[in-house]
């Protein structure tokens, strides 16, 4: 593709697809670049019940697919499995996007590259990744039929995925380092009422143990008295937050101390024509609806920027 793109969008999650919807509806030539599955992190979410318009809730992959189809229907182009590895701001004010040996030129860019799950960094984690250690219950839960598993974390993701895992596992331990949960109160009530879940707080995971190359246990340490205990589990699911995917913007943009990109209210950055949206930004409540909303704002103002330059 050599023609000039009006608005290039990096990332095909809720922020990116909504930015594309607004940019395409603004009559800009809009291209989404997505290196993997369209939908971003929501493809790993079993059930979404807080996205408006779906009173019964909707599966994450289905919602991602609907967003994708809507952007396409309004004229956005999608370059899937294209990994943009370099982003340059050229002297003429345009942007050069590089993927493998292909380069693309765009008049404006919306960076909506999202975040990736954080890791605990404890012994055994790396060794047993993919062999009992997982960051995606939707992907891996079926491997744990009638087995015991541990879920680590106290946010929305940990609590939701612990509930989901009870459909498969015999027992789910939910381990959180504090007695108070960060997750929404309704979810915490639900997890307390779900049979098959044992909540253990305040405990920190300290080591993942294995046998025959697979996870066989999790050692946890009391935050109160430092005593330890070992849980016999076949799976350890980690939901301990996320890291913003800001590498493309490292040299170009300002970030806060946690790596989230600092933007104006319109998604703009200090680089004219470069906008950011979704989980890579400082948006305080990281939800699908807020990612989509910030995508709408960035997409709209990216078109306004392009139109102004004409
Ligand atoms: P999060 O809200 O940042 O929660 C991370 C949890 O992991 C916290 O409870 C934290 O404990 C714990 N933690 C962090 N580092 C740890 C460590 N080294 N050892 C043990 N525990 C550790 O992350 P999240 O649940 O992935 O959610 C991310 C964002 O996505 C949030 O804004 C969330 O609301 C949103 N989300 C929304 C939905 C939904 O609306 N359906 C679903 C999933 C996620 P502390 O509490 O002690 O810090």
């Amino acid at each position: 593709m050599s023609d000039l793109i009006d608005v290039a969008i990096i990332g095909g999650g809720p922020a990116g697809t909504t930015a594309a919807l607004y940019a395409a509806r603004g009559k800009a030539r809009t291209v989404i670049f997505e290196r993997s599955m369209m939908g971003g992190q929501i493809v790993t979410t079993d059930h979404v019940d807080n996205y408006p318009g779906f009173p019964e809730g909707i599966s994450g992959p289905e919602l991602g697919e609907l967003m994708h189809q809507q952007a396409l229907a309004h004229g956005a182009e999608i370059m899937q499995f294209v990994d943009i590895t370099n982003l340059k701001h050229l002297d003429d004010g345009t942007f050069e996007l590089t993927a493998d040996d292909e380069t693309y030129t765009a008049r404006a860019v919306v960076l909506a590259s999202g975040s990736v799950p954080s890791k605990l960094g404890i012994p055994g984690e790396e060794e047993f990744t993919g062999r009992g250690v997982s960051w995606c219950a939707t992907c891996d839960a079926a491997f744990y039929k009638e087995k015991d598993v541990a879920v680590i974390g106290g946010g929305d993701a940990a609590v939701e995925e612990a509930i989901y895992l009870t459909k498969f596992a015999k027992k789910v331990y939910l381990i959180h380092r504090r007695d108070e949960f960060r997750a929404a109160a309704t979810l915490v009530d639900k997890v307390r009422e779900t049979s098959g879940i044992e909540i253990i707080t305040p405990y920190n995971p300290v080591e993942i143990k294995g046998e025959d190359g697979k996870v066989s246990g999790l050692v946890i340490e009391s935050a109160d008295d430092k005593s330890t205990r070992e849980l016999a589990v076949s799976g350890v699911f980690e939901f301990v937050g996320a890291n913003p995917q800001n590498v493309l913007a490292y040299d170009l943009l300002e970030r806060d101390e946690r790596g989230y990109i600092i933007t104006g209210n319109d998604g703009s950055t200090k680089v004219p024509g470069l906008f950011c949206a979704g989980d890579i930004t400082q948006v305080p409540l990281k939800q699908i609806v807020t990612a989509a909303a910030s995508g709408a704002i960035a997409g709209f103002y990216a078109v306004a920027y392009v139109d102004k330059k004409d």
Side-chain angles (χ1 to χ4, degrees):
M1 187 189 296
S2 54
D3 299 343
L4 186 64
I5 298 167
D6 290 324
V7 181
I9 293 167
I10 303 174
T17 45
T18 312
L21 174 66
Y22 276 72
R25 282 173 58 81
K27 303 264 179 280
R29 178 170 179 235
T30 303
V31 180
I32 303 178
F33 295 91
E34 167 56 57
R35 66 178 170 200
S36 136
M37 301 303 290
M38 290 299 295
Q41 281 203 65
I42 57 171
V43 298
T44 64
T45 303
D46 173 53
H47 187 76
V48 176
D49 64 8
N50 57 2
Y51 192 79
F54 299 94
E56 306 298 324
I58 182 168
S59 84
E62 206 182 333
L63 181 57
E65 180 59 21
L66 288 172
M67 290 180 172
H68 171 184
Q69 291 304 333
Q70 196 171 1
L72 277 179
H74 286 275
E77 298 163 49
I78 295 186
M79 301 280 289
Q80 197 180 356
F81 304 118
V82 176
D83 188 8
I84 301 297
T85 51
N86 197 25
L87 175 65
K88 245 199 250 169
H89 190 213
L90 305 179
D91 291 342
D92 66 2
T94 62
F95 295 87
E96 186 182 86
L97 293 78
T98 311
D100 293 328
D101 46 7
E102 193 83 46
T103 59
Y104 307 88
T105 312
R107 301 168 76 193
V109 170
V110 177
L111 187 59
S113 41
S115 59
V116 292
S118 303
K119 295 188 173 184
L120 287 166
I122 59 174
E125 180 186 56
E126 211 177 305
E127 188 181 349
F128 298 112
T129 291
R131 286 181 286 161
V133 179
S134 172
W135 288 265
C136 177
T138 317
C139 320
D140 296 334
F143 299 123
Y144 298 93
K145 280 195 186 111
E146 292 308 310
K147 293 181 175 165
D148 292 352
V149 299
V151 169
I152 321 290
D156 287 335
V159 169
E160 271 187 353
E161 302 306 315
I163 295 168
Y164 176 68
L165 277 158
T166 59
K167 293 185 193 174
F168 300 87
K170 187 160 69 167
K171 177 159 194 174
V172 178
Y173 295 100
L174 176 58
I175 318 294
H176 179 37
R177 63 185 177 184
R178 293 186 296 133
D179 291 326
E180 296 297 313
F181 280 82
R182 188 180 289 276
T186 47
L187 280 175
V188 178
D189 288 346
K190 197 168 165 193
V191 82
R192 291 194 196 284
E193 287 159 12
T194 305
S195 64
I197 297 182
E198 181 179 336
I199 299 172
I200 304 180
T201 64
Y203 270 83
N204 278 297
V206 288
E207 185 179 356
I208 295 165
K209 298 230 172 181
E211 253 174 42
D212 301 328
K214 285 193 242 156
V215 167
S216 62
L218 173 71
V219 183
I220 55 173
E221 182 187 88
S222 163
D224 287 337
D225 61 14
K226 303 287 171 215
S227 62
T228 58
R229 55 187 280 206
E230 184 172 337
L231 306 171
V233 290
S234 312
V236 175
F237 288 82
E238 299 182 7
F239 299 105
V240 292
N243 291 312
Q245 290 295 282
N246 59 16
V247 281
L248 281 177
Y250 235 87
D251 298 332
L252 293 174
L253 299 178
E254 290 174 290
R255 301 170 304 276
D256 68 14
E257 67 293 346
R258 293 179 306 157
Y260 293 103
I261 293 163
I262 298 169
T263 65
N265 288 339
D266 56 358
S268 63
T269 65
K270 65 175 191 163
V271 179
L274 179 52
F275 296 77
C276 291
D279 282 8
I280 54 164
T281 70
Q282 288 180 305
V283 59
L285 180 66
K286 292 194 164 38
Q287 303 279 292
I288 301 168
V289 68
T290 53
S294 72
I297 294 168
F300 179 87
Y301 285 102
V303 175
Y305 170 84
V306 167
D307 286 348
K308 213 163 104 191
K309 291 207 99 190
D310 278 340

